[in-house]
Amino acid sequence: MTELKHEPFRTLHLEHASTVDRVADELRRAVFDGELESGTPLRELAIAASLGVSRPTVREALTVLVAEGLAMREPNRGVSVATPEADSVRDVCAARLVLEGAGIRQWRSATEEQQALVRSTLAAYIAAIESDASYQELNERHLAFHVSLVGLTGSPRLVAMQENLVVELKLALAQVDRIRRNAHDQADSHAALVRLLERDDLDAAYDFLVRHLADAQGEIVEALDLT
Amino acid sequence: MTELKHEPFRTLHLEHASTVDRVADELRRAVFDGELESGTPLRELAIAASLGVSRPTVREALTVLVAEGLAMREPNRGVSVATPEADSVRDVCAARLVLEGAGIRQWRSATEEQQALVRSTLAAYIAAIESDASYQELNERHLAFHVSLVGLTGSPRLVAMQENLVVELKLALAQVDRIRRNAHDQADSHAALVRLLERDDLDAAYDFLVRHLADAQGEIVEALDLT
DNA sequence: TCTGTCAGATTGTCTGACAATCTTCGGGCC
DNA sequence: GGCCCGAAGATTGTCAGACAATCTGACAGA
């Protein structure tokens, strides 16, 4: 084989974006940015014309969105932006507690690398707050921190599941915050959680997480009901 | 509305199967039955001709399979049946432990209905064993029991995640058992687990689950390495 | 041995089309 | 006046055919 030991091109990375992917990306962006209200029908022809691609391509992109839970397909009635229900939010938070709780419980058996990821994700979140980053970015960093907690389990599948849950949350937040943007500062709370972890006080950390998720759920559900 | 109180047609259910769904079902069946070896390329034209549908329809069905993890898509190289790696199996089992463990921990706070589901699923598994059911059905019942454990959490999303994991396991089993079918009787072990639950001895039940999953993982990985 | 080139196969995407189904709207009937 | 019903329009689900881009493999040439 012609494989070199040092692999000098390891950092190179070609963006292999198919048309379908780019269409899906654009639709995702529009949903998260709140340009598309929940329940908005996503007409294939309109999107195809608007983006300058063909209908089959749009169709494929839509099935991707549906698989991700960002949209709903009703037979013979097309695809529309999913509407986050209060029950869904409650379920997402319950599921998050299971996944993130599992991560916390495995703090001690996690690798140094995984622990470092939690710290650095928290640091990035704090830095974003202090630099007055955009609302979107704060959300992103915040949720990335919670994903990193699941990363402590070392299980790619659990992380993937958490990322799915986070997508649903982002959808709900996009709907809620389209009306009133309230990305309030939660850095202290998260920093306290990490301190408990560093102190190996896992039970306290878990209790902390329980309260934190309950709070988040309460806020989102409340805001959702006002819609 | 003309809605009747007793809803006499509640049991009626029209199979609203689109062509895409039926193609996907057929492909799934073929994979689980071991007709398609892992790594087999799934050519769009061949499948379309073989099933008498058009290529776009097959394409959509394939993206469904890929989303489910049953197949892999490599850009410009098409879709092929996924190959279960030992690492994947280990990860699936680790993830299962988190989900099923969460179910067990919530046994007490589960509804009567959810607990009954666990019992009845176990009963169905045992009945299938005693009636010398087919290999496929035993597998199905066995895994259904484990799903019902996750059902104790009452979280539809966690159940959906577990079902995804189970799909991957079924794929691995299909590959392993294509060579040697070894659906050995595990009814006693599962019955013991339920007895521990009924006795509210959750810690023991959890330990039991840990061992059970470790055993299962060991067997599958071993059989996989022999391939 | 390595590189460049070419044919065949397969996918990614487009165009155009048609039937089935849903929605809407207006007409006829009580 | 209000309600059932049928026709028109819109949209999806599916199909057929086509073409460019890319991958594979083989073969010739430096």
Side-chain angles (χ1 to χ4, degrees), chain A:
Chain A
M1 293 303 257
T2 61
E3 202 163 331
L4 297 180
K5 279 201 190 80
H6 296 295
E7 304 190 16
F9 301 129
R10 182 164 279 268
T11 59
L12 266 59
H13 181 60
L14 186 58
E15 205 57 46
H16 210 322
S18 70
T19 308
V20 171
D21 288 337
R22 274 175 291 148
V23 172
D25 279 342
E26 179 63 10
L27 290 175
R28 251 182 245 116
R29 189 200 57 72
V31 170
F32 288 145
D33 284 3
E35 292 174 17
L36 267 37
E37 205 166 342
S38 98
T40 308
L42 301 171
R43 309 276 173 222
E44 299 176 354
L45 263 179
I47 297 171
S50 168
L51 295 182
V53 297
S54 74
R55 196 158 75 91
T57 304
V58 173
R59 247 184 106 72
E60 267 195 66
L62 287 179
T63 67
V64 172
L65 276 264
V66 169
E68 287 175 353
L70 281 177
M72 255 177 39
R73 158 163 281 145
E74 290 167 291
N76 289 318
R77 301 190 48 179
V79 176
S80 49
V81 180
T83 60
E85 311 275 344
D87 278 346
S88 316
V89 173
R90 273 186 277 267
D91 190 39
V92 166
C93 289
R96 279 178 67 193
L97 180 58
V98 169
L99 299 189
E100 298 181 28
I104 286 182
R105 261 194 292 275
Q106 296 192 33
W107 169 262
R108 256 171 271 172
S109 50
T111 69
E112 188 56 50
E113 204 174 37
Q114 289 156 358
Q115 295 179 350
L117 183 64
V118 172
R119 292 190 197 99
S120 67
T121 322
L122 174 62
Y125 177 36
I126 293 175
I129 291 174
E130 289 175 350
S131 71
D132 260 341
S134 74
Y135 164 81
Q136 325 277 358
E137 192 179 339
L138 286 188
N139 246 341
E140 207 70 45
R141 305 272 190 194
H142 175 198
L143 294 171
F145 171 77
H146 284 275
V147 172
S148 77
L149 287 181
V150 181
L152 291 171
T153 63
S155 164
R157 276 162 187 76
L158 289 178
V159 170
M161 293 173 184
Q162 169 81 349
E163 276 167 352
N164 278 348
L165 294 177
V166 161
V167 164
E168 274 198 81
L169 264 193
K170 277 169 71 178
L171 173 65
L173 287 173
Q175 296 307 318
V176 167
D177 298 331
R178 213 167 46 84
I179 292 101
R180 41 171 221 176
R181 325 222 123 197
N182 55 345
H184 55 282
D185 184 350
Q186 295 180 312
D188 293 346
S189 167
H190 292 80
L193 175 57
V194 171
R195 271 198 300 279
L196 288 175
L197 286 177
E198 306 276 15
R199 215 182 296 150
D200 269 359
D201 196 346
L202 302 189
D203 288 337
Y206 184 79
D207 288 344
F208 202 100
L209 180 67
V210 170
R211 278 197 303 280
H212 178 74
L213 287 183
D215 285 351
Q217 170 185 320
E219 277 179 44
I220 299 176
V221 167
E222 190 189 351
L224 216 51
D225 284 342
L226 295 181
T227 312

Side-chain angles (χ1 to χ4, degrees), chain B residues 52-63:
Chain B
V53 298
S54 76
R55 197 158 76 92
T57 305
V58 173
R59 244 184 109 72
E60 265 195 66
L62 287 179
T63 66

Side-chain angles (χ1 to χ4, degrees), chain B residues 18-20 22 52-57 75-77:
Chain B
S18 70
T19 307
V20 172
R22 274 174 292 148
V53 298
S54 76
R55 197 158 76 92
T57 305
N76 289 317
R77 301 191 46 181

Side-chain angles (χ1 to χ4, degrees), chain B residues 3-12:
Chain B
E3 201 164 333
L4 298 180
K5 279 200 191 78
H6 296 295
E7 304 192 15
F9 301 130
R10 180 163 281 267
T11 60
L12 267 59

